């Protein structure tokens, strides 16, 4: 039986039940052993009055009937006295049968006495048949004596079985009285044999020898029985035997023993009177001794019961005390162990996670208050509790240290990310100026590629900010069209040329969520391109739904197993804690953080026939009507319906979109028509109107031009010089006292810098501005020697 996993209460209960059960069983056993003898002593009175007296009456009547039956067999006629004696015998036997069949006697008798009673009843059942043999003279005098002597012997065997008293003295006295009764029975056999011989005038063959043996046995039994009697009873028996009748009967017995047959001068009257007196005297002595025996057994039984009651009460009291002590100690142990267990579970399941959560929220935690000292005593359990107190305090301190370390690492990440963001923003601003000043198609295409890489670098820098628990700096004042948000996300993906934009229903996204939604979509679209074959397409579409706006991204990859997909959906449904060990799912962490910030729901589903579909549900409170498209100046109100952006867009080509003009540097209206200009040998660029009314540069590439090394060197020097100027301008702008960010005039808030959304129609072209933080003014980047020379 394995008890290792038992609760502590069950183990303590098992420890208590074993000894207590053994003690209780021992108490019951001892009580039973003591109670049995007391019941036997009390039953002695029942045995005497229900078996002793009725049985002795039956014995006396059988002895008289035996004598008369022997006399009748010795004579020639039937004796009327024998018939009367048989009636008296039948009445005594009937009374004995009634007592033997009663419940009182049977309940008081043991198994041995029950057997002897059954034998007695069986012997008495043979009495009618024996009488028939006697009346038919089918049995002689010796056989008749043997018939009645067998019944009387069964009665004395039952009397002997009564002598099972627990007290040795009482039991010895009872056996002595029974032996005296047997001696009296032998005296009756002698009288019956002599009566038959006197009636017949002589002894039958062998009767004289039998008479001599009977007299010798009677005297031997009497002497042996008297020796076991108490002193008072011995004295009384001697006085009885010293009487005239006993002396005369003893002398007559001696004469019978000496004679070889009937003595010629035997005084028959003297024999009969002495025999009757001795029989009656011995019977009275036996009955008196039995009554005294019964009377002495009752007080003895009461004393035993009193002692039994005292011992039983004391034993029961000891058992109760043991049980109470065991319960008290067991409950104390169980309560203390349960207290240690409860404290451990509370620390592991509630207090420690709460401490960690509060630390992550930036709250101060007092280690002494969160891990108070608990007193569990000074024994082994108390020592375990003290050790647990130390463990708990160490665990809380370790949690504080861990969260402090993580917070410091987050600050490091955030500091590095902010610095990287500042450099990327300045790089993008410099690229914007270079793109507007460069008209060479090849150089412009290279700058566009650098611009695209910088845009992706900006997204990765924002990932670090999100990992650190902060919010990226990009934001928009005005709503941005959903199609522009999707295009902006596509522009931040490496393989944007593999993305097909399907049907995008008109809608707008509030400016405060545009930057995060673009970042979220860019992460998901990039995952779709990375985890699908390079020769497949990725479809992106958007549609308005009753509870918001849904964007679907579908790839044609191998898809995900149900278990992996469920795990990913569980992470995307909540804002997970960043786990450095799960760096392979960094994009899911970023998406989950961004989605939780704005209440956006992201779910992965299996695509048909293969691949994965990502459904991004933007909530209703972030969705608005699609903003108007067209000129942003005074002619904005005159824009027609044809100037609105088309909801269905075609596949993006590899040509980057031009940068929108900054405030104060708007192009003149003459920039809208197609204006060819020379961009280099064999190439030209036209400014052609787009489908949404915005200008779009179209590269016209002629035969490939072969540039000399000097021209390439001049181009790279110009790029380095422009970068240096951009950094100097940024440093001057940071040093110039201006209004703090976010405190621009309410009529027209401005942003530190504006960026387009990349390939396709941009948010700037739709009239919205992307707000990006300016480079940190306190730590301008030092210029290299090449930049200073430029």
């Amino acid at each position: 039986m394995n008890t290792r996993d038992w609760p502590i209460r069950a183990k303590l209960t098992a420890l208590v039940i074993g000894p207590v059960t053994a003690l209780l069983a021992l108490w019951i056993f001892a009580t039973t052993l003591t109670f049995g003898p007391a019941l036997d002593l009390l039953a002695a009175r029942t045995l005497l009055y229900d078996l002793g007296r009725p049985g002795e009456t039956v014995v006396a009547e059988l002895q008289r009937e035996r004598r008369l039956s022997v006399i009748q067999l010795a004579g020639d006629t039937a004796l009327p006295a024998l018939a009367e004696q048989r009636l008296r015998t039948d009445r005594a036997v009937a009374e004995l049968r009634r007592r033997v069949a009663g419940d009182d006697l049977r309940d008081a008798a043991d198994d041995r006495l029950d057997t002897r009673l059954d034998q007695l009843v069986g012997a008495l059942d043979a009495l009618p048949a024996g009488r028939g043999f006697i009346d038919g003279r089918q049995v002689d005098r010796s056989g008749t004596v043997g018939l009645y002597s067998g019944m009387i012997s069964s009665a004395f065997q039952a009397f002997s079985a009564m002598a099972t008293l627990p007290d040795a003295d009482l039991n010895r006295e009872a056996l002595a009285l029974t032996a005296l009764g047997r001696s009296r029975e032998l005296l009756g056999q002698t009288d019956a044999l002599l009566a038959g011989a006197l009636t017949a005038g002589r002894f039958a063959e062998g009767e004289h020898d039998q008479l001599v043996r009977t007299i010798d046995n009677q005297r031997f039994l009497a002497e042996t029985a008297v020796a076991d009697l108490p002193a008072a009873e011995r004295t009384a028996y001697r006085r009885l035997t010293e009487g005239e009748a006993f002396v005369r009967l003893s002398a007559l017995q001696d004469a019978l023993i000496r004679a070889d047959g009937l003595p010629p001068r035997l005084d028959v009257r003297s024999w009969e009177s002495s025999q009757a007196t001795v029989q009656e005297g011995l019977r009275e002595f036996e009955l008196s001794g039995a009554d005294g025996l019964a009377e002495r057994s009752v007080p003895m039984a009461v004393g035993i019961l009193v002692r039994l009651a005292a011992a039983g009460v004391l034993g029961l009291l000891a058992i109760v005390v043991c049980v109470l002590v065991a319960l008290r100690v067991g409950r104390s142990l169980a309560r203390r162990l349960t207290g240690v267990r409860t404290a451990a579970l509370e620390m592991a399941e509630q207090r420690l996670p709460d401490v960690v959560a509060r630390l992550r929220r930036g709250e101060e935690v007092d280690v002494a208050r969160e891990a108070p000292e608990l007193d569990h005593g000074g024994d082994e359990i108390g020592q375990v509790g003290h050790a647990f107190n130390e463990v708990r305090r160490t665990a809380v301190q370790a949690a504080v240290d861990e969260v402090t370390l993580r917070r410091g690492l987050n600050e490091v990440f955030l500091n590095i990310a902010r610095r990287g963001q500042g450099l990327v923003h300045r790089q993008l601003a410099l690229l914007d100026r270079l793109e507007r000043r460069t008209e060479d198609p090849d150089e412009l295409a290279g700058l566009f590629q650098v611009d695209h890489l910088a845009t992706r670098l900006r997204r990765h820098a924002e990932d670090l900010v999100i990992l650190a628990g902060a919010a990226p700096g990009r934001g928009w004042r005005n709503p941005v069209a959903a199609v522009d948000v999707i295009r902006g996300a596509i522009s931040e993906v490496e393989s944007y040329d593999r993305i097909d934009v399907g049907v995008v229903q008109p809608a707008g996204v509030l400016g405060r969520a545009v930057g995060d939604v673009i970042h979220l979509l860019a992460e998901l679209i990039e995952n779709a391109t990375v985890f699908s074959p390079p020769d497949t397409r990725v479809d992106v579409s958007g549609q308005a739904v009753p509870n918001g706006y849904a964007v679907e991204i579908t790839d044609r990859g191998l898809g995900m197993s149900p278990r992996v997909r469920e795990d990913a959906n569980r992470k995307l449904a909540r804002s997970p804690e960043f786990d450095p060990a799960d760096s392979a799912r960094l994009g899911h962490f970023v998406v989950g953080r961004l989605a939780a910030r704005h209440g956006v729901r992201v779910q992965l589903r299996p695509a048909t026939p293969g691949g994965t579909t990502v459904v991004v549900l933007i909530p209703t409170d972030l969705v608005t009507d699609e903003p108007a498209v067209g000129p942003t100046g005074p002619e904005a109100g005159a824009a027609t319906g044809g100037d609105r952006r088309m909801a269905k867009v075609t596949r993006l080509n590899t040509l980057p979109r031009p940068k929108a003009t900054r405030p104060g540097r708007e192009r003149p209206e003459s920039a809208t028509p197609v204006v060819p200009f020379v961009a280099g040998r064999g190439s030209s660029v036209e400014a052609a109107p787009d489908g949404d009314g915005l200008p779009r540069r179209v590269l016209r590439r002629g035969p490939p031009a072969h540039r000399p090394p000097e021209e390439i060197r001049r181009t790279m020097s110009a790029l380095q010089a422009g970068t240096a100027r951009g950094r100097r301008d940024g440093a001057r702008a940071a040093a110039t006292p201006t209004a703090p960010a976010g405190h621009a005039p309410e009529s027209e808030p401005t942003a530190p810098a504006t960026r387009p959304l990349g390939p396709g129609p941009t948010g700037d072209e739709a009239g919205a501005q992307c707000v990006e933080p300016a480079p940190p003014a306190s730590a301008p980047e030092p210029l290299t020697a090449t930049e200073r020379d430029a």
Side-chain angles (χ1 to χ4, degrees):
M1 180 174 56
N2 185 14
T3 61
R4 182 176 182 180
D5 297 331
W6 284 14
I8 187 63
R9 291 185 180 275
K11 294 179 180 179
L12 293 176
T13 303
L15 290 176
V16 172
I17 287 178
V20 170
T21 303
L23 183 61
L24 182 62
L26 183 61
W27 176 79
I28 295 175
F29 179 72
T31 303
T32 304
L33 288 182
T34 309
F35 191 65
L39 293 180
D40 292 340
L41 289 173
L42 293 176
R45 194 177 181 86
T46 302
L47 295 177
L48 174 63
Y49 290 106
D50 286 351
L51 177 61
R53 287 188 177 277
E56 195 278 335
T57 302
V58 169
V59 168
E61 297 299 334
L62 287 174
Q63 287 174 347
R64 294 188 185 100
E65 183 176 345
R66 177 181 60 189
R67 184 174 185 278
L68 292 176
S69 298
V70 171
I71 294 174
Q72 178 175 306
L73 289 174
D76 297 330
T77 59
L79 295 179
L82 178 58
E84 295 177 1
Q85 180 60 43
R86 286 178 177 177
L87 293 176
R88 290 192 294 271
T89 303
D90 291 340
R91 287 194 295 269
V93 171
E95 177 64 18
L96 178 62
R97 289 180 183 274
R98 186 182 67 82
R99 295 294 182 94
V100 170
D103 294 334
D104 294 340
L105 179 58
R106 290 291 184 176
D107 291 340
D110 56 7
D111 295 338
R112 181 166 172 258
L113 181 58
D114 280 336
T115 303
R116 298 290 176 85
L117 290 175
D118 294 337
Q119 293 175 355
L120 174 60
V121 172
L124 293 175
D125 290 339
L127 180 61
R131 288 173 176 175
F133 291 137
I134 293 172
D135 293 341
R137 294 184 179 275
Q138 297 176 358
V139 61
D140 58 4
R141 297 196 303 267
S142 298
T144 301
V145 172
L147 173 66
Y148 285 94
S149 297
M151 298 178 190
I152 296 172
S153 177
S154 297
F156 278 106
Q157 288 179 1
F159 297 159
S160 298
M162 293 170 52
T164 57
L165 301 177
D167 186 78
D169 295 336
L170 294 179
N171 198 49
R172 184 169 57 253
E173 183 178 355
L175 291 175
L177 292 176
T178 303
L180 283 177
R182 287 180 179 274
S183 173
R184 185 167 57 86
E185 157 60 14
L186 292 176
L187 188 60
Q189 292 181 18
T190 303
D191 181 56
L193 289 173
L194 182 60
L198 290 174
T199 303
R202 63 182 180 85
F203 284 108
E205 184 179 359
E207 284 185 348
H208 185 267
D209 294 337
Q210 183 180 357
L211 183 133
V212 172
R213 290 194 300 271
T214 303
I215 293 173
D216 292 338
N217 290 334
Q218 180 264 327
R219 291 178 175 180
F220 174 77
L221 283 177
E223 292 177 0
T224 304
V226 171
D228 290 334
L229 291 175
E233 278 74 9
R234 284 198 304 271
T235 302
Y237 183 80
R238 288 194 182 95
R239 284 198 301 267
L240 179 64
T241 57
E242 291 173 355
E244 180 181 357
F246 272 87
V247 173
R248 187 169 54 249
L249 181 62
S250 178
L252 292 173
Q253 287 177 344
D254 293 338
L256 288 172
I257 293 172
R258 289 192 300 269
D260 186 12
L262 285 175
R265 291 179 296 179
L266 180 64
D267 189 354
V268 177
R269 291 184 180 274
S270 177
W271 171 269
E272 291 179 351
S273 62
S274 300
Q275 172 71 21
T277 303
V278 170
Q279 283 278 358
E280 187 64 23
L282 290 176
R283 183 171 180 269
E284 292 296 332
F285 181 82
E286 292 171 13
L287 293 178
S288 176
D291 290 339
L293 190 66
E295 293 298 330
R296 290 199 305 272
S297 66
V298 173
M300 187 177 295
V302 172
I304 292 176
L305 291 177
V306 171
R307 292 194 299 272
L308 174 63
V313 171
L314 292 177
L316 186 61
L317 182 61
I319 293 175
V320 172
V321 171
C322 292
V323 171
L324 292 178
V325 171
L327 289 177
R328 182 177 180 84
V329 174
R331 288 181 178 178
S332 176
L333 291 175
R335 183 175 60 254
R336 295 171 63 192
L337 291 175
T338 303
V340 175
R341 170 181 173 272
T342 302
L345 292 178
E346 181 184 3
M347 171 57 64
E349 297 177 358
Q350 299 179 9
R351 192 178 293 272
L352 191 59
D354 179 67
V355 169
V356 174
R358 288 164 53 193
L359 288 171
R360 289 176 178 174
R361 291 194 300 266
E363 301 180 9
E364 294 294 333
V365 173
D366 186 5
V367 177
R369 179 180 178 183
E370 297 300 332
E373 185 75 19
L374 300 179
D375 185 13
H376 295 284
D379 57 357
E380 289 80 359
I381 298 178
Q383 294 172 6
V384 172
H386 178 71
F388 173 72
N389 288 333
E390 297 297 328
V391 171
R392 182 171 54 177
R393 186 180 299 106
T394 304
V396 174
Q397 185 63 47
V400 172
D401 296 341
E402 180 184 356
V403 174
T404 303
L405 177 61
R406 179 173 293 188
R407 188 182 301 164
L409 291 177
N410 288 343
E411 294 294 335
V412 172
F413 288 159
L414 185 59
N415 188 12
I416 295 174
R418 292 299 187 192
R419 290 187 179 186
Q421 271 190 311
L423 294 177
V424 171
H425 292 161
R426 289 159 60 183
Q427 182 180 3
L428 290 173
L430 177 60
L431 290 173
D432 182 59
R433 290 195 295 271
L434 292 177
E435 290 171 1
R436 298 187 185 285
R437 296 175 184 172
T438 303
E439 296 182 352
D440 186 280
D442 295 333
E443 294 181 1
L444 189 60
L447 290 175
F448 284 164
Q449 292 178 1
V450 176
D451 182 277
H452 179 60
L453 292 175
T455 303
R456 291 172 56 207
L457 183 61
R458 176 183 60 189
R459 178 165 61 86
H460 294 316
E462 290 178 353
D463 287 345
L464 286 177
V465 176
I466 296 172
L467 288 177
R474 285 193 295 168
W476 275 256
R477 295 191 188 93
N478 302 321
V480 177
V483 65
D484 288 339
V485 172
I486 293 174
R487 285 176 173 173
I490 294 173
S491 70
E492 298 186 3
V493 177
E494 179 180 4
S495 301
Y496 63 86
D497 55 338
R498 292 175 48 205
I499 302 170
D500 293 339
V501 180
V503 177
V504 180
Q505 294 182 0
V509 180
L510 293 182
R512 61 184 173 87
V514 169
D516 291 341
V517 173
I518 290 175
H519 195 153
L520 184 150
L521 294 176
E523 292 287 347
L524 295 174
I525 294 173
E526 186 164 37
N527 277 352
T529 60
V530 170
F531 292 99
S532 61
D535 56 346
T536 59
R537 310 295 297 180
V538 176
D539 298 330
V540 182
S541 62
Q543 59 179 343
V545 293
N547 52 348
Y549 192 86
V551 179
E552 292 189 2
I553 304 167
T554 304
D555 62 57
R556 298 294 183 267
L558 297 178
M560 307 170 69
S561 64
R563 185 183 61 82
V564 176
R565 185 167 55 251
E566 290 178 5
D567 184 64
N569 283 329
R570 187 166 51 252
K571 291 181 180 179
L572 295 174
R574 55 184 175 86
S575 178
E577 293 294 335
F578 174 61
D579 185 7
D582 193 15
S583 58
R585 303 291 181 180
L586 185 60
H588 287 174
F589 171 79
V590 174
V591 171
R593 279 287 181 91
L594 295 174
R597 184 177 300 163
H598 297 286
V600 177
R601 294 172 56 187
V602 181
Q603 187 177 21
L604 303 178
R605 300 176 181 174
T608 304
T612 302
T613 297
V614 185
V615 179
V616 180
L617 180 61
I618 303 174
T620 307
D621 56 351
L622 297 181
V623 180
T624 183
D625 295 335
E626 186 176 49
V629 179
T632 57
E635 294 84 0
T640 62
D643 296 333
R644 293 183 178 275
R645 179 180 298 101
M646 297 190 313
K648 184 174 179 62
V649 297
T650 59
R651 180 185 302 167
L652 293 175
N653 54 32
T654 57
L655 296 177
R657 295 293 309 274
K659 307 299 178 183
T661 58
R662 298 177 180 236
R665 295 177 56 188
E666 297 182 358
R667 296 183 180 179
E669 296 180 2
S670 59
T672 303
V674 177
V675 181
F677 63 93
V678 177
R681 289 181 294 180
S683 301
S684 63
V685 177
E686 294 180 355
D690 197 359
D692 52 7
L694 299 177
R696 177 185 177 90
R697 291 185 180 180
V698 180
L699 177 63
R700 304 295 184 184
R701 186 179 300 274
H706 300 281
R707 297 185 180 181
E710 292 77 5
E711 184 177 353
I712 296 175
R713 182 180 60 80
R714 287 195 301 272
T715 302
M716 297 304 296
S717 298
L719 178 61
Q720 292 178 354
T723 303
R725 287 197 302 273
R727 291 183 176 177
R728 288 195 297 271
D729 293 343
R732 294 194 201 96
T736 304
T738 57
H743 294 77
E746 295 182 359
S747 60
E748 185 62 37
T750 61
T754 59
R755 288 296 306 145
L757 295 176
T762 63
D764 292 336
E765 293 167 352
Q769 291 181 344
C770 174
V771 181
E772 298 176 349
S778 59
E781 294 292 334
L783 300 179
T784 63
T786 305
E787 292 173 343
R788 287 195 298 271
D789 294 341

